[in-house]
Amino acid sequence: MKNYPLFQAARKFLSSASSEKEKQDFEDLLDELANRGPSPDKGSMDQAREKVLANLENFRDRAIKSQQAFMVIKRYAAVLLVLGLIGLAYYQVQDSTQKLPPMISKVTKTGMRSTLTLGDGSMVRLNENSSLEFPEYFDHEIRKVVLKGEAFFDIKADAIRPFVVVTNQSEVTVLGTSFNINTHNATEVTVASGKVKVEDLQSLEQARLLPGQQAVMDGKAISINEVNPEYFMGWHTRKLSFGEEPVEKVFEILERAYGVDIQTTFSGQKPQCLITGNYEGERIETILRGMKHLLEFDYQTDIRTKTISINNIQCK
């Protein structure tokens, strides 16, 4: 503790005119202050203060006897102030290191999904093959988490503390909103409500998104598209609404929403018919059976590989 920079500075304060005995007394006081630890109780603080004052009284008495009262009292009054500042700085440094919240990591494997409630009340729905690292509680300045994979966020509003999601190539900052992030390929950020600021950590480009907008970041640039957020959050909500969507687009949306690989083949030219329908909480098999009223096709499901083969598709 004697090598701590603040204590070195305090010792230099007395080096020019103090006797060896006075220097030693001052170092003993500093050591006692340091040994109090990061969280002294009131009794310990009172004892330390009394010892400091007692030593100062002794210094003053000796100084009066040597006809140097004014300069010595002035010097040691400054020492008392320095001691207070040293103690405050030391306790604050120690206290800040002790209060770092422990980190928690949540990981989902294939076929797993998890709903998390963070320390501020925000909700995160973690998709399969994803991970989220977050503190047990947030400090008073910022709320920050680290995402790999895909997750839906519903963030509690906080005008003072922004919420930041860090991925391998982007940083997303919000105050209170709901949005989806997918990092499995290029990072996609899709906003359902509120406003979101995104930054590509490689290109350093920034953009602000409104509801119904999606940013795609590939490390070179940010592209922004107008989208239906439901199509990119269906895996979380299981709520899909198709309004005259092309057949191939519907299958792409079902792939994302249900985490499956849909392989299609067409008999002849690709059909130009459009699909309209509303589904909520339905199994994908139920949706496919419903689509057979509009299309002709055969399909097989491989549960092991989560693959659906849809063959001979044509409009009725």
Side-chain angles (χ1 to χ4, degrees), residues 142-171:
I142 195 169
R143 300 173 290 169
K144 180 178 288 188
V145 301
V146 179
L147 172 69
K148 293 181 180 178
E150 184 171 19
F152 173 83
F153 294 84
D154 189 359
I155 303 305
K156 290 287 187 180
D158 189 330
I160 298 176
R161 297 182 301 170
F163 191 96
V164 177
V165 183
V166 179
T167 75
N168 62 338
Q169 67 178 135
S170 68
E171 186 170 286

mmCIF file of all heavy atoms in Angstrom, residues 142-171:
data_model
loop_
_atom_site.group_PDB
_atom_site.id
_atom_site.type_symbol
_atom_site.label_atom_id
_atom_site.label_comp_id
_atom_site.label_asym_id
_atom_site.label_seq_id
_atom_site.Cartn_x
_atom_site.Cartn_y
_atom_site.Cartn_z
ATOM 1 N N ILE A 142 -25.301 2.523 -17.792
ATOM 2 C CA ILE A 142 -25.609 1.902 -19.075
ATOM 3 C C ILE A 142 -26.102 0.480 -18.850
ATOM 4 O O ILE A 142 -25.784 -0.156 -17.835
ATOM 5 C CB ILE A 142 -24.358 1.889 -19.986
ATOM 6 C CG1 ILE A 142 -24.735 1.588 -21.440
ATOM 7 C CG2 ILE A 142 -23.319 0.915 -19.474
ATOM 8 C CD1 ILE A 142 -23.602 1.825 -22.416
ATOM 9 N N ARG A 143 -26.907 0.004 -19.795
ATOM 10 C CA ARG A 143 -27.377 -1.386 -19.789
ATOM 11 C C ARG A 143 -26.815 -2.054 -21.038
ATOM 12 O O ARG A 143 -27.198 -1.693 -22.141
ATOM 13 C CB ARG A 143 -28.916 -1.425 -19.796
ATOM 14 C CG ARG A 143 -29.564 -0.745 -18.585
ATOM 15 C CD ARG A 143 -31.084 -0.673 -18.729
ATOM 16 N NE ARG A 143 -31.487 0.261 -19.763
ATOM 17 C CZ ARG A 143 -32.746 0.356 -20.235
ATOM 18 N NH1 ARG A 143 -33.687 -0.447 -19.778
ATOM 19 N NH2 ARG A 143 -33.033 1.243 -21.162
ATOM 20 N N LYS A 144 -25.900 -2.993 -20.854
ATOM 21 C CA LYS A 144 -25.215 -3.583 -22.006
ATOM 22 C C LYS A 144 -25.252 -5.103 -21.925
ATOM 23 O O LYS A 144 -25.002 -5.697 -20.880
ATOM 24 C CB LYS A 144 -23.769 -3.106 -22.079
ATOM 25 C CG LYS A 144 -22.981 -3.669 -23.266
ATOM 26 C CD LYS A 144 -21.564 -3.130 -23.314
ATOM 27 C CE LYS A 144 -21.538 -1.676 -23.730
ATOM 28 N NZ LYS A 144 -20.146 -1.192 -23.961
ATOM 29 N N VAL A 145 -25.542 -5.744 -23.086
ATOM 30 C CA VAL A 145 -25.527 -7.196 -23.194
ATOM 31 C C VAL A 145 -24.782 -7.576 -24.472
ATOM 32 O O VAL A 145 -24.579 -6.739 -25.366
ATOM 33 C CB VAL A 145 -26.951 -7.793 -23.212
ATOM 34 C CG1 VAL A 145 -27.706 -7.423 -21.946
ATOM 35 C CG2 VAL A 145 -27.730 -7.320 -24.450
ATOM 36 N N VAL A 146 -24.372 -8.837 -24.568
ATOM 37 C CA VAL A 146 -23.652 -9.333 -25.744
ATOM 38 C C VAL A 146 -24.431 -10.509 -26.323
ATOM 39 O O VAL A 146 -24.748 -11.464 -25.604
ATOM 40 C CB VAL A 146 -22.219 -9.773 -25.376
ATOM 41 C CG1 VAL A 146 -21.502 -10.315 -26.610
ATOM 42 C CG2 VAL A 146 -21.439 -8.605 -24.778
ATOM 43 N N LEU A 147 -24.732 -10.437 -27.619
ATOM 44 C CA LEU A 147 -25.550 -11.459 -28.289
ATOM 45 C C LEU A 147 -24.769 -12.163 -29.377
ATOM 46 O O LEU A 147 -24.061 -11.538 -30.163
ATOM 47 C CB LEU A 147 -26.797 -10.815 -28.907
ATOM 48 C CG LEU A 147 -27.649 -11.721 -29.815
ATOM 49 C CD1 LEU A 147 -28.332 -12.809 -28.994
ATOM 50 C CD2 LEU A 147 -28.667 -10.906 -30.606
ATOM 51 N N LYS A 148 -24.933 -13.483 -29.429
ATOM 52 C CA LYS A 148 -24.501 -14.292 -30.565
ATOM 53 C C LYS A 148 -25.703 -15.118 -30.998
ATOM 54 O O LYS A 148 -26.289 -15.819 -30.176
ATOM 55 C CB LYS A 148 -23.334 -15.203 -30.178
ATOM 56 C CG LYS A 148 -22.053 -14.470 -29.845
ATOM 57 C CD LYS A 148 -20.942 -15.444 -29.484
ATOM 58 C CE LYS A 148 -19.655 -14.710 -29.140
ATOM 59 N NZ LYS A 148 -18.571 -15.651 -28.744
ATOM 60 N N GLY A 149 -26.066 -15.041 -32.263
ATOM 61 C CA GLY A 149 -27.237 -15.765 -32.747
ATOM 62 C C GLY A 149 -28.408 -14.840 -32.970
ATOM 63 O O GLY A 149 -28.272 -13.766 -33.551
ATOM 64 N N GLU A 150 -29.575 -15.223 -32.455
ATOM 65 C CA GLU A 150 -30.792 -14.449 -32.699
ATOM 66 C C GLU A 150 -31.592 -14.293 -31.426
ATOM 67 O O GLU A 150 -31.709 -15.217 -30.618
ATOM 68 C CB GLU A 150 -31.660 -15.120 -33.768
ATOM 69 C CG GLU A 150 -32.902 -14.315 -34.150
ATOM 70 C CD GLU A 150 -33.636 -14.877 -35.349
ATOM 71 O OE1 GLU A 150 -33.410 -16.070 -35.672
ATOM 72 O OE2 GLU A 150 -34.443 -14.146 -35.959
ATOM 73 N N ALA A 151 -32.170 -13.100 -31.239
ATOM 74 C CA ALA A 151 -32.999 -12.841 -30.060
ATOM 75 C C ALA A 151 -33.976 -11.719 -30.360
ATOM 76 O O ALA A 151 -33.703 -10.828 -31.170
ATOM 77 C CB ALA A 151 -32.142 -12.479 -28.848
ATOM 78 N N PHE A 152 -35.116 -11.786 -29.680
ATOM 79 C CA PHE A 152 -36.104 -10.704 -29.714
ATOM 80 C C PHE A 152 -36.016 -9.962 -28.391
ATOM 81 O O PHE A 152 -36.004 -10.570 -27.319
ATOM 82 C CB PHE A 152 -37.509 -11.272 -29.916
ATOM 83 C CG PHE A 152 -38.604 -10.238 -29.787
ATOM 84 C CD1 PHE A 152 -38.937 -9.426 -30.843
ATOM 85 C CD2 PHE A 152 -39.278 -10.070 -28.585
ATOM 86 C CE1 PHE A 152 -39.935 -8.462 -30.736
ATOM 87 C CE2 PHE A 152 -40.273 -9.113 -28.450
ATOM 88 C CZ PHE A 152 -40.604 -8.302 -29.535
ATOM 89 N N PHE A 153 -35.960 -8.614 -28.454
ATOM 90 C CA PHE A 153 -35.806 -7.785 -27.266
ATOM 91 C C PHE A 153 -37.043 -6.900 -27.070
ATOM 92 O O PHE A 153 -37.506 -6.263 -28.015
ATOM 93 C CB PHE A 153 -34.580 -6.877 -27.386
ATOM 94 C CG PHE A 153 -33.271 -7.613 -27.415
ATOM 95 C CD1 PHE A 153 -32.787 -8.134 -28.607
ATOM 96 C CD2 PHE A 153 -32.522 -7.776 -26.264
ATOM 97 C CE1 PHE A 153 -31.575 -8.814 -28.649
ATOM 98 C CE2 PHE A 153 -31.311 -8.450 -26.294
ATOM 99 C CZ PHE A 153 -30.840 -8.969 -27.484
ATOM 100 N N ASP A 154 -37.554 -6.872 -25.854
ATOM 101 C CA ASP A 154 -38.618 -5.941 -25.468
ATOM 102 C C ASP A 154 -38.070 -5.154 -24.281
ATOM 103 O O ASP A 154 -38.064 -5.634 -23.143
ATOM 104 C CB ASP A 154 -39.888 -6.704 -25.093
ATOM 105 C CG ASP A 154 -41.079 -5.759 -24.906
ATOM 106 O OD1 ASP A 154 -40.898 -4.542 -25.048
ATOM 107 O OD2 ASP A 154 -42.179 -6.250 -24.616
ATOM 108 N N ILE A 155 -37.591 -3.925 -24.553
ATOM 109 C CA ILE A 155 -36.783 -3.182 -23.596
ATOM 110 C C ILE A 155 -37.624 -2.186 -22.794
ATOM 111 O O ILE A 155 -38.418 -1.427 -23.353
ATOM 112 C CB ILE A 155 -35.649 -2.423 -24.326
ATOM 113 C CG1 ILE A 155 -34.795 -3.416 -25.112
ATOM 114 C CG2 ILE A 155 -34.799 -1.646 -23.337
ATOM 115 C CD1 ILE A 155 -34.228 -4.535 -24.297
ATOM 116 N N LYS A 156 -37.414 -2.187 -21.476
ATOM 117 C CA LYS A 156 -38.058 -1.208 -20.612
ATOM 118 C C LYS A 156 -37.473 0.177 -20.878
ATOM 119 O O LYS A 156 -36.264 0.345 -20.971
ATOM 120 C CB LYS A 156 -37.841 -1.570 -19.136
ATOM 121 C CG LYS A 156 -38.602 -2.800 -18.668
ATOM 122 C CD LYS A 156 -40.086 -2.494 -18.537
ATOM 123 C CE LYS A 156 -40.829 -3.668 -17.917
ATOM 124 N NZ LYS A 156 -42.277 -3.394 -17.781
ATOM 125 N N ALA A 157 -38.348 1.161 -20.993
ATOM 126 C CA ALA A 157 -37.898 2.521 -21.268
ATOM 127 C C ALA A 157 -37.116 3.078 -20.079
ATOM 128 O O ALA A 157 -37.491 2.872 -18.919
ATOM 129 C CB ALA A 157 -39.090 3.421 -21.572
ATOM 130 N N ASP A 158 -36.014 3.753 -20.367
ATOM 131 C CA ASP A 158 -35.188 4.405 -19.350
ATOM 132 C C ASP A 158 -34.478 5.559 -20.036
ATOM 133 O O ASP A 158 -33.538 5.361 -20.801
ATOM 134 C CB ASP A 158 -34.183 3.427 -18.754
ATOM 135 C CG ASP A 158 -33.458 3.997 -17.541
ATOM 136 O OD1 ASP A 158 -33.281 5.230 -17.484
ATOM 137 O OD2 ASP A 158 -33.072 3.205 -16.655
ATOM 138 N N ALA A 159 -34.947 6.787 -19.780
ATOM 139 C CA ALA A 159 -34.414 7.958 -20.474
ATOM 140 C C ALA A 159 -32.972 8.251 -20.087
ATOM 141 O O ALA A 159 -32.265 8.955 -20.809
ATOM 142 C CB ALA A 159 -35.285 9.178 -20.177
ATOM 143 N N ILE A 160 -32.507 7.720 -18.953
ATOM 144 C CA ILE A 160 -31.154 8.010 -18.474
ATOM 145 C C ILE A 160 -30.161 6.956 -18.927
ATOM 146 O O ILE A 160 -29.046 7.265 -19.342
ATOM 147 C CB ILE A 160 -31.155 8.124 -16.939
ATOM 148 C CG1 ILE A 160 -32.060 9.273 -16.492
ATOM 149 C CG2 ILE A 160 -29.733 8.330 -16.412
ATOM 150 C CD1 ILE A 160 -32.197 9.404 -15.001
ATOM 151 N N ARG A 161 -30.568 5.686 -18.870
ATOM 152 C CA ARG A 161 -29.642 4.596 -19.190
ATOM 153 C C ARG A 161 -30.007 3.958 -20.525
ATOM 154 O O ARG A 161 -31.026 3.282 -20.630
ATOM 155 C CB ARG A 161 -29.656 3.529 -18.099
ATOM 156 C CG ARG A 161 -29.196 4.005 -16.736
ATOM 157 C CD ARG A 161 -29.202 2.833 -15.751
ATOM 158 N NE ARG A 161 -30.527 2.238 -15.631
ATOM 159 C CZ ARG A 161 -30.772 1.096 -14.997
ATOM 160 N NH1 ARG A 161 -29.775 0.430 -14.450
ATOM 161 N NH2 ARG A 161 -32.002 0.636 -14.907
ATOM 162 N N PRO A 162 -29.217 4.149 -21.557
ATOM 163 C CA PRO A 162 -29.498 3.473 -22.831
ATOM 164 C C PRO A 162 -29.258 1.976 -22.702
ATOM 165 O O PRO A 162 -28.516 1.521 -21.823
ATOM 166 C CB PRO A 162 -28.498 4.109 -23.806
ATOM 167 C CG PRO A 162 -27.383 4.575 -22.924
ATOM 168 C CD PRO A 162 -28.018 5.002 -21.633
ATOM 169 N N PHE A 163 -29.906 1.220 -23.566
ATOM 170 C CA PHE A 163 -29.724 -0.234 -23.617
ATOM 171 C C PHE A 163 -28.913 -0.544 -24.867
ATOM 172 O O PHE A 163 -29.267 -0.129 -25.962
ATOM 173 C CB PHE A 163 -31.077 -0.948 -23.678
ATOM 174 C CG PHE A 163 -30.991 -2.433 -23.465
ATOM 175 C CD1 PHE A 163 -31.218 -2.977 -22.218
ATOM 176 C CD2 PHE A 163 -30.671 -3.275 -24.516
ATOM 177 C CE1 PHE A 163 -31.138 -4.348 -22.012
ATOM 178 C CE2 PHE A 163 -30.582 -4.649 -24.327
ATOM 179 C CZ PHE A 163 -30.819 -5.189 -23.069
ATOM 180 N N VAL A 164 -27.813 -1.272 -24.703
ATOM 181 C CA VAL A 164 -26.898 -1.539 -25.808
ATOM 182 C C VAL A 164 -26.751 -3.042 -26.000
ATOM 183 O O VAL A 164 -26.491 -3.775 -25.043
ATOM 184 C CB VAL A 164 -25.510 -0.908 -25.549
ATOM 185 C CG1 VAL A 164 -24.553 -1.249 -26.679
ATOM 186 C CG2 VAL A 164 -25.639 0.600 -25.403
ATOM 187 N N VAL A 165 -26.936 -3.484 -27.248
ATOM 188 C CA VAL A 165 -26.693 -4.876 -27.617
ATOM 189 C C VAL A 165 -25.455 -4.907 -28.507
ATOM 190 O O VAL A 165 -25.426 -4.281 -29.561
ATOM 191 C CB VAL A 165 -27.893 -5.489 -28.363
ATOM 192 C CG1 VAL A 165 -27.615 -6.968 -28.659
ATOM 193 C CG2 VAL A 165 -29.170 -5.345 -27.545
ATOM 194 N N VAL A 166 -24.443 -5.635 -28.080
ATOM 195 C CA VAL A 166 -23.202 -5.760 -28.836
ATOM 196 C C VAL A 166 -23.167 -7.133 -29.501
ATOM 197 O O VAL A 166 -23.419 -8.153 -28.853
ATOM 198 C CB VAL A 166 -21.974 -5.586 -27.925
ATOM 199 C CG1 VAL A 166 -20.685 -5.735 -28.735
ATOM 200 C CG2 VAL A 166 -22.011 -4.231 -27.239
ATOM 201 N N THR A 167 -22.892 -7.161 -30.812
ATOM 202 C CA THR A 167 -22.700 -8.415 -31.533
ATOM 203 C C THR A 167 -21.275 -8.436 -32.069
ATOM 204 O O THR A 167 -20.493 -7.517 -31.813
ATOM 205 C CB THR A 167 -23.710 -8.568 -32.683
ATOM 206 O OG1 THR A 167 -23.327 -7.708 -33.763
ATOM 207 C CG2 THR A 167 -25.122 -8.217 -32.234
ATOM 208 N N ASN A 168 -20.957 -9.462 -32.827
ATOM 209 C CA ASN A 168 -19.585 -9.561 -33.330
ATOM 210 C C ASN A 168 -19.243 -8.464 -34.329
ATOM 211 O O ASN A 168 -18.071 -8.185 -34.570
ATOM 212 C CB ASN A 168 -19.348 -10.937 -33.960
ATOM 213 C CG ASN A 168 -20.249 -11.186 -35.163
ATOM 214 O OD1 ASN A 168 -21.302 -10.557 -35.295
ATOM 215 N ND2 ASN A 168 -19.856 -12.103 -36.016
ATOM 216 N N GLN A 169 -20.237 -7.809 -34.936
ATOM 217 C CA GLN A 169 -19.923 -6.774 -35.916
ATOM 218 C C GLN A 169 -20.790 -5.527 -35.808
ATOM 219 O O GLN A 169 -20.697 -4.630 -36.637
ATOM 220 C CB GLN A 169 -20.049 -7.331 -37.338
ATOM 221 C CG GLN A 169 -21.452 -7.707 -37.752
ATOM 222 C CD GLN A 169 -21.516 -8.204 -39.188
ATOM 223 O OE1 GLN A 169 -22.142 -9.187 -39.475
ATOM 224 N NE2 GLN A 169 -20.856 -7.505 -40.094
ATOM 225 N N SER A 170 -21.629 -5.442 -34.768
ATOM 226 C CA SER A 170 -22.509 -4.282 -34.673
ATOM 227 C C SER A 170 -22.775 -3.910 -33.220
ATOM 228 O O SER A 170 -22.512 -4.682 -32.297
ATOM 229 C CB SER A 170 -23.844 -4.558 -35.378
ATOM 230 O OG SER A 170 -24.576 -5.544 -34.667
ATOM 231 N N GLU A 171 -23.298 -2.695 -33.054
ATOM 232 C CA GLU A 171 -23.735 -2.223 -31.750
ATOM 233 C C GLU A 171 -25.094 -1.548 -31.934
ATOM 234 O O GLU A 171 -25.241 -0.663 -32.779
ATOM 235 C CB GLU A 171 -22.718 -1.249 -31.155
ATOM 236 C CG GLU A 171 -23.041 -0.839 -29.726
ATOM 237 C CD GLU A 171 -21.894 -0.073 -29.076
ATOM 238 O OE1 GLU A 171 -20.881 -0.722 -28.732
ATOM 239 O OE2 GLU A 171 -22.018 1.148 -28.942
#
